[in-house]
Amino acid sequence: MSSEEVIAITIEDKTYNVSKSKLIEKSDYFRALYNSGMKESEEDSVQLQGLSVHGLELVIEFINTSKVHIENETLEDLVETASFLQVTSILKLLLSEIKLENCVELYKLSETYGISDLMNAALKFMVWYYHPMLRKQEFRHLPSNLRQQIKEMRLKGTAVLVAVGDLFSTSLDLAPDEPWSMLRYDEVIQRWLPLANSLPPDMVNVRGYGSTVLDNYLFIVGGYRMTSQEIAAAHCYNACKNEWDQIAPMNQKRSNFKLLSVGSKLYAVGGQSLCNVECYNPEMDWWNFVASMPYPLVEFSACECKGMIYVMGGYTTRDRNMNILQYCPTSDTWTVFESCEIHIRKQQMVSLEDTIYLVGGCIHEKGGSRKGNQTEDMFIVQSYNVTTREWLYLKENTSKSGLNLTCTLHNDGIYIISRDITLSTSLEHRVFLKYNIFADRWEAFRRFPAFGQNILLCSLYYPNVI
């Protein structure tokens, strides 16, 4: 029986003896060479030029052992040599080795050597982990149009309604009496289904938190525990990966405040007996104080509109707040934008273009007497245009409560989860409905199939079917 044929591979002043059969098995370059029938295919040595010695050693290690040691410092040598010798198994292996520390380098190398699968995988990784990537210097050095493309790709996919809270099933859609913290709404079958995820343990039973969505991350920040202890902790949910992560805590413990996304940053506005404001920069994973509100407020609401923050309603330490406050992030200043003719508290606010929509809350006229408690709590949708400063009374739903509701913009409407009370039995349950912005009408869905506390409704993009 003849011994195995060995090929001597020479580069610079070094020579490596490698099994010919393994070279043919692992390398398309050598397979093509030794099946070509050319004179070189009969020789027992090969001279290589233009490659790095260390890159060749790594590739030969893989050819001999099917294993390779991947380090950031030698990544370029490895990719260059594996691409030249067409060792596709190494290139496929790199698909599972993409990390925060190397994805930019792998993207650039795969672009240079035309490795489309690896380039797409590295791009997808940067999309999935966009905020952590912002903190990498090498990512910030990428062309601005590529960084913008990555940001926009986070909003590709299917927009899905998600409910978060301390939920218990009252429907056959969910396992009876099994707690869930996250549900998603399937608009095709019109049912709520559990998400294969749950809140981090230190977020359970936290009330009065602030929440908002930025770059398809859901942020839940601050609040208070059942012991009434306020917290500063901050978490974010990455819908692209269906996973939670903890971010830097606020400097100030706060609850019953508003968390808003403006541009590329978050703003934590006010809180119980607080008028200060903090700004979170995902690029730095850090909070810093910015200009405070003119005075502290309770039972107020706020939203972003046209790059500004608008605060409405609630109470000051002395009286009703009848002013609309405006904050400009660019100049870091607060101004009284306008005085209102009505007083509102505990409302929810969302915006679309230059129109703010106010949903629910308790409302009564400026200086007028209350018409009675039964009319103060009203499920009303109003709008306020920040350009024309025009108020519109849009729609009322007299059978529902305007308090303790949660809502979000989603597709063509404002989706709302509210509470309702059956008068004959005094039993409270959750209702799920939609206000169609363009048709100015209510659309009712079947009842929300769970009861619980602290329910939050938001709209997130998921890349694939969950």
Side-chain angles (χ1 to χ4, degrees):
M1 184 176 180
S2 60
S3 60
E4 184 176 16
E5 192 172 355
V6 173
I7 301 297
I9 302 176
T10 302
I11 185 170
E12 296 180 5
D13 58 348
K14 295 181 179 292
T15 300
Y16 305 89
N17 295 319
V18 188
S19 162
K20 182 177 181 179
S21 62
K22 287 185 176 181
L23 287 173
I24 294 173
E25 176 190 355
K26 298 287 179 64
S27 167
D28 292 348
Y29 173 92
F30 285 109
R31 185 181 307 116
L33 173 64
Y34 292 117
N35 290 335
S36 65
M38 296 187 299
K39 177 183 177 182
E40 291 84 351
S41 66
E42 304 298 325
E43 297 177 356
D44 58 2
S45 65
V46 174
Q47 178 78 36
L48 296 177
Q49 294 179 341
L51 300 175
S52 74
V53 171
H54 191 60
L56 180 62
E57 289 175 346
L58 290 171
V59 169
I60 290 175
E61 176 191 1
F62 178 81
I63 289 174
N64 286 329
T65 66
S66 296
K67 298 178 182 179
V68 63
H69 192 57
I70 299 173
E71 293 181 342
N72 292 349
E73 295 76 13
T74 57
L75 205 52
E76 183 174 3
D77 294 337
L78 175 63
V79 172
E80 178 191 38
T81 308
S83 298
F84 181 82
L85 297 179
Q86 301 172 48
V87 185
T88 56
S89 297
I90 288 181
L91 303 179
K92 290 179 180 178
L93 179 64
L94 287 172
L95 295 174
S96 61
E97 295 293 329
I98 301 174
K99 303 172 184 176
L100 286 171
E101 294 74 23
N102 65 20
C103 61
V104 171
E105 181 73 4
L106 283 174
Y107 177 84
K108 293 194 292 187
L109 288 171
S110 58
E111 186 179 38
T112 299
Y113 295 105
I115 314 168
S116 58
D117 287 348
L118 184 58
M119 184 173 69
N120 290 333
L123 181 66
K124 184 182 292 185
F125 186 94
M126 290 187 282
V127 171
W128 284 347
Y129 296 101
Y130 176 62
H131 279 184
M133 290 305 307
L134 287 176
R135 297 158 206 159
K136 297 293 183 181
Q137 185 176 8
E138 59 270 25
F139 180 81
R140 296 197 292 268
H141 288 163
L142 288 174
S144 58
N145 61 334
L146 176 58
R147 286 183 278 118
Q148 183 63 28
Q149 177 191 353
I150 291 169
K151 179 178 181 177
E152 292 173 356
M153 286 176 67
R154 281 194 64 83
L155 303 182
K156 302 294 184 183
T158 304
V160 177
L161 280 172
V162 175
V164 181
D166 304 325
L167 305 167
F168 284 86
S169 167
T170 59
S171 166
L172 294 177
D173 295 330
L174 305 175
D177 300 325
E178 183 174 351
W180 291 92
S181 59
M182 299 185 71
L183 304 176
R184 65 180 177 89
Y185 185 64
D186 189 315
E187 297 188 45
V188 176
I189 62 175
Q190 296 188 350
R191 290 183 183 274
W192 288 91
L193 303 171
L195 261 172
N197 209 318
S198 60
L199 293 173
D202 58 344
M203 292 175 60
V204 176
N205 291 326
V206 173
R207 311 288 175 85
Y209 54 74
S211 65
T212 193
V213 173
L214 173 64
D215 298 328
N216 207 33
Y217 288 91
L218 168 64
F219 290 84
I220 294 183
V221 179
Y224 65 91
R225 303 192 190 281
M226 298 300 290
T227 58
S228 297
Q229 177 188 5
E230 287 190 323
I231 60 176
H235 296 79
C236 68
Y237 170 71
N238 186 349
C240 294
K241 291 297 291 178
N242 190 29
E243 61 188 25
W244 286 90
D245 195 14
Q246 191 161 10
I247 61 172
M250 295 182 292
N251 297 296
Q252 170 82 58
K253 295 178 180 179
R254 66 182 77 224
S255 64
N256 297 317
F257 67 102
K258 295 301 173 185
L259 185 68
L260 306 170
S261 60
V262 185
S264 59
K265 297 178 181 178
L266 303 182
Y267 291 83
V269 180
Q272 203 71 31
S273 303
L274 294 175
C275 62
N276 65 40
V277 179
E278 290 187 62
C279 174
Y280 175 75
N281 185 349
E283 189 172 320
M284 305 300 293
D285 188 27
W286 195 255
W287 296 84
N288 66 284
F289 287 104
V290 293
S292 297
M293 288 193 295
Y295 39 78
L297 291 171
V298 296
E299 298 188 356
F300 70 97
S301 190
C303 72
E304 179 275 342
C305 187
K306 303 293 285 185
M308 302 286 190
I309 291 175
Y310 292 87
V311 173
M312 297 185 189
Y315 295 95
T316 68
T317 54
R318 296 181 177 181
D319 203 354
R320 297 167 180 166
N321 174 43
M322 306 300 293
N323 292 325
I324 299 175
L325 303 178
Q326 182 198 65
Y327 173 73
C328 175
T330 304
S331 61
D332 189 27
T333 55
W334 287 90
T335 56
V336 176
F337 187 70
E338 188 178 21
S339 180
C340 300
E341 292 301 316
I342 61 170
H343 177 253
I344 187 168
R345 64 186 180 90
K346 292 189 173 181
Q347 78 278 18
Q348 299 296 317
M349 292 166 54
V350 296
S351 71
L352 180 64
E353 296 179 347
D354 60 352
T355 301
I356 295 173
Y357 294 88
L358 295 87
V359 184
C362 292
I363 305 169
H364 57 273
E365 299 294 327
K366 180 179 181 180
S369 61
R370 298 184 182 182
K371 298 179 180 180
N373 291 334
Q374 70 273 17
T375 60
E376 184 182 321
D377 173 10
M378 301 179 71
F379 199 167
I380 299 172
V381 177
Q382 303 176 86
S383 71
Y384 177 76
N385 189 292
V386 299
T387 303
T388 64
R389 305 196 181 193
E390 179 185 14
W391 285 91
L392 288 178
Y393 180 101
L394 297 176
K395 208 74 173 176
E396 179 178 348
N397 192 321
T398 55
S399 65
K400 307 295 186 295
S401 169
L403 297 177
N404 300 318
L405 60 81
T406 176
C407 66
T408 189
L409 280 174
H410 177 73
N411 295 335
D412 61 346
I414 303 172
Y415 285 74
I416 304 160
I417 295 176
S418 180
R419 64 181 176 89
D420 194 14
I421 298 176
T422 304
L423 296 179
S424 59
T425 62
S426 297
L427 293 177
E428 182 177 318
H429 59 268
R430 298 283 176 176
V431 292
F432 174 46
L433 65 163
K434 164 188 169 184
Y435 171 70
N436 189 310
I437 291 175
F438 303 103
D440 187 27
R441 69 167 185 262
W442 293 105
E443 298 176 17
F445 302 94
R446 65 177 66 207
R447 288 183 179 180
F448 187 66
F451 67 92
Q453 301 291 331
N454 229 23
I455 298 175
L456 157 70
L457 187 64
C458 63
S459 179
L460 296 167
Y461 288 90
Y462 284 84
N464 300 303
V465 176
I466 306 170

